[in-house]
């Protein structure tokens, strides 16, 4: 190492040892390795040396000093970073005794809760559960339920077709057909699920809503059984004082058919805004399964008889909790949803 290179080495070593901050190190780097730095100068000056041996030795010693400076700067820099970090920790005081923030906990949606309650009531009296498909075909949604293509009842079930033959099911009744085709009587089942219709939205109607279908087929099933089962269901879900009312109604897949209303839980039958001052709220369609439906599934209508019903889950929830507008279920207003 030549004298001047040795001198540079000694002085830079002292400067790095004495450096107290990242900016001291920056200064050393610029003064040594920057564009006009001492080491850079020395490297440039080598082009003037003609003696090859001398050039080689000088180049080697300049590079040794250059590497030394780079290594020292880098290790000192890491030491400073760690020191800075520890000092910043001391400044930002963390109080580990503060209680943690409570994460907000979700809850099961009110409609799911009501659907589960409906299912468990029917489970307790021997009905099995089968979920169907939200998209169904024309045959299961209409044809096999005694609603041929020309039947006016299709108008009230106007829906969303995804192709000529596939549609968003308009009710859960199609599950009667699928289950009866698979299982021989006696059979008692319910089928909950989502359905869709081209209904205009108002306080009691939504184009997407939920239904629970139920049916029972055996020998000697009577309208009395239907009434008894539905009365028991309404009293379990709304309270033991609830009365039911069955009035004749038409559904092509039952004969006779009825609609079932229950006494309004808000006014106990006296009449109020919730029930439109009638004292009753309509909850479901029901009836005795039509012989034509039995023909479609291969059951002998002379041997078997059956009852069926289909209720709207939203309507049950509205009646149970005094909710006056169906739209509240879908608005995702947390203050509404977290009540349950
Ligand atoms: C039917 O859907 C029949 N499949 C029910 C049935 C099953 C009858 C078995 C006989 C035997 P309906 O269109 O009335 O019937 O609908 C049944 C229930 O779904 C209604 O009582 C109501 O509670 C609910 N509902 C009907 N349309 C809507 C709607 N747009 N929004 C919310 N709930 C509705």
């Amino acid at each position: 190492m030549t004298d001047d290179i040795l001198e540079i080495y000694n002085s830079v070593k002292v400067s790095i040892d004495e450096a107290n901050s990242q900016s001291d190190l920056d200064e050393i780097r610029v003064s040594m390795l920057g564009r006009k730095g001492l080491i850079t100068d020395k490297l440039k000056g080598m082009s003037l040396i003609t003696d090859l041996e001398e050039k080689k030795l000088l180049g080697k010693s300049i590079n040794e000093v250059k590497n030394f400076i780079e290594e020292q700067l880098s290790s000192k820099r890491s030491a400073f970073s760690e020191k800075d970090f520890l000092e910043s920790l001391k400044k930002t005081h963390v109080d580990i005794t503060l209680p943690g923030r409570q994460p907000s906990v979700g809850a099961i949606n009110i409609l799911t809760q009501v659907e589960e309650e409906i299912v468990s009531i029917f489970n307790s009296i021997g009905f099995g559960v089968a979920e169907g498909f939200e998209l169904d075909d024309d045959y299961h949604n209409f044809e096999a339920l005694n609603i041929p293509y020309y039947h006016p009842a299709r108008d009230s079930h106007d829906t969303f077709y995804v192709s000529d033959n596939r549609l968003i099911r308009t009710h859960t009744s199609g599950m009667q057909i699928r289950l009866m085709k698979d299982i021989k009587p006696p059979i008692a089942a319910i089928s909950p699920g989502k359905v869709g219709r081209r209904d205009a939205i108002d306080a009691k109607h939504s184009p997407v809503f939920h239904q629970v279908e139920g049916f029972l087929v055996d020998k000697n099933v009577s309208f009395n059984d239907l009434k008894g089962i539905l009365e028991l269901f309404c009293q379990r879900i709304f309270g033991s004082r609830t009365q039911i009312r069955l009035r004749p109604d038409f559904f092509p897949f039952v004969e006779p058919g009825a609609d079932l209303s229950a006494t309004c839980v808000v006014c106990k039958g006296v009449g109020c805004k919730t029930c439109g001052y009638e004292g009753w709220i309509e909850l479901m369609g029901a009836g005795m399964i039509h012989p034509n439906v039995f023909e479609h599934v291969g059951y002998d209508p002379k041997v078997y008889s059956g009852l069926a019903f289909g209720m709207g889950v939203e309507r049950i929830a509205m009646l149970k909790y005094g909710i006056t507008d169906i739209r509240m279920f879908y608005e995702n207003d947390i203050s509404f949803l977290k009540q349950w």
Side-chain angles (χ1 to χ4, degrees):
M1 210 177 265
T2 57
D3 287 351
D4 51 347
I5 300 291
L6 189 61
E7 203 179 309
I8 295 174
Y9 170 80
N10 286 332
S11 88
V12 81
K13 191 167 178 298
V14 174
S15 310
I16 295 176
D17 281 349
E18 287 175 353
N20 281 322
S21 65
Q22 298 276 11
S23 67
D24 287 351
L25 296 179
D26 283 340
E27 260 175 45
I28 296 169
R29 187 184 56 76
V30 172
S31 69
M32 291 291 146
L33 309 173
R35 264 198 308 141
K36 290 181 183 159
L38 269 179
I39 295 291
T40 318
D41 250 12
K42 291 283 169 208
L43 283 167
K44 279 183 197 158
M46 277 183 55
S47 59
L48 304 173
I49 300 170
T50 46
D51 184 297
L52 272 184
E53 199 50 34
E54 191 190 339
K55 200 173 186 169
K56 206 168 140 194
L57 282 174
L58 185 64
K60 189 168 172 260
S61 54
I62 297 174
N63 271 329
E64 271 172 14
V65 177
K66 186 175 175 245
N67 290 342
F68 168 78
I69 297 172
E70 279 169 349
E71 273 163 25
Q72 289 297 303
L73 286 178
S74 144
S75 77
K76 194 108 186 193
R77 227 180 261 291
S78 325
F80 279 148
S81 306
E82 201 177 316
K83 197 170 137 224
D84 288 352
F85 173 68
L86 291 172
E87 259 161 29
S88 78
L89 270 191
K90 273 187 217 153
K91 280 184 211 146
T92 46
H93 176 68
V94 179
D95 182 355
I96 54 162
T97 63
L98 271 180
R101 287 203 189 109
Q102 196 76 26
S104 55
V105 181
I108 296 177
N109 184 277
I110 175 65
L111 290 175
T112 310
Q113 287 186 39
V114 170
E115 189 177 288
E116 282 173 0
E117 193 177 345
I118 298 170
V119 169
S120 83
I121 292 172
F122 283 105
N123 272 172
S124 75
I125 53 171
F127 282 71
V129 192
E131 286 191 28
F133 320 98
E134 285 174 25
L135 280 186
D136 212 339
D137 53 34
D138 190 273
Y139 177 77
H140 290 94
N141 196 77
F142 292 126
E143 202 73 33
L145 286 164
N146 203 27
I147 317 177
Y149 72 92
Y150 52 81
H151 201 288
R154 284 200 181 204
D155 287 352
S156 64
H157 280 219
D158 202 1
T159 188
F160 307 93
Y161 280 82
V162 294
S163 69
D164 280 353
N165 187 37
R166 282 217 159 284
L167 61 144
I168 296 179
R169 64 176 170 183
T170 59
H171 52 176
T172 40
S173 299
M175 272 309 280
Q176 288 182 34
I177 305 299
R178 291 185 184 276
L179 290 170
M180 285 194 274
K181 279 204 164 181
D182 283 352
I183 301 165
K184 297 250 164 301
I187 171 172
I190 52 165
S191 183
K194 203 186 282 170
V195 302
R197 286 186 199 175
R198 267 193 61 193
D199 278 356
I201 303 177
D202 63 22
K204 291 208 178 103
H205 293 87
S206 159
V208 176
F209 60 102
H210 299 78
Q211 284 192 335
V212 176
E213 187 76 13
F215 71 100
L216 181 155
V217 182
D218 201 351
K219 290 177 183 156
N220 303 319
V221 176
S222 70
F223 199 90
N224 231 1
D225 296 318
L226 175 67
K227 185 171 176 246
I229 287 169
L230 295 181
E231 192 166 47
L232 178 136
F233 164 74
C234 288
Q235 289 179 348
R236 288 246 189 116
I237 198 147
F238 300 123
S240 55
R241 297 220 173 141
T242 311
Q243 290 174 11
I244 62 163
R245 180 181 75 180
L246 284 157
R247 292 189 304 181
D249 200 351
F250 175 73
F251 300 94
F253 36 96
V254 286
E255 182 55 39
D259 73 54
L260 178 140
S261 304
T263 37
C264 174
V265 281
V266 180
C267 64
K268 311 279 180 256
V270 177
C272 68
K273 218 171 114 195
T274 308
C275 58
Y277 301 96
E278 283 189 15
W280 298 96
I281 292 193
E282 189 196 312
L283 294 177
M284 63 181 97
M288 302 305 292
I289 300 178
H290 198 289
N292 288 357
V293 174
F294 280 164
E295 303 278 356
H296 271 286
V297 297
Y299 286 4
D300 184 348
K302 292 195 191 77
V303 179
Y304 295 109
S305 51
L307 59 88
F309 50 89
M311 65 189 80
V313 177
E314 281 81 352
R315 296 279 176 88
I316 303 273
M318 287 168 83
L319 185 58
K320 189 168 164 74
Y321 296 111
I323 298 163
T324 49
D325 197 316
I326 198 168
R327 285 166 282 209
M328 294 171 106
F329 292 118
Y330 314 114
E331 277 168 359
N332 284 332
D333 177 349
I334 299 289
S335 60
F336 170 76
L337 292 173
K338 76 178 179 192
Q339 295 176 62
W340 296 281

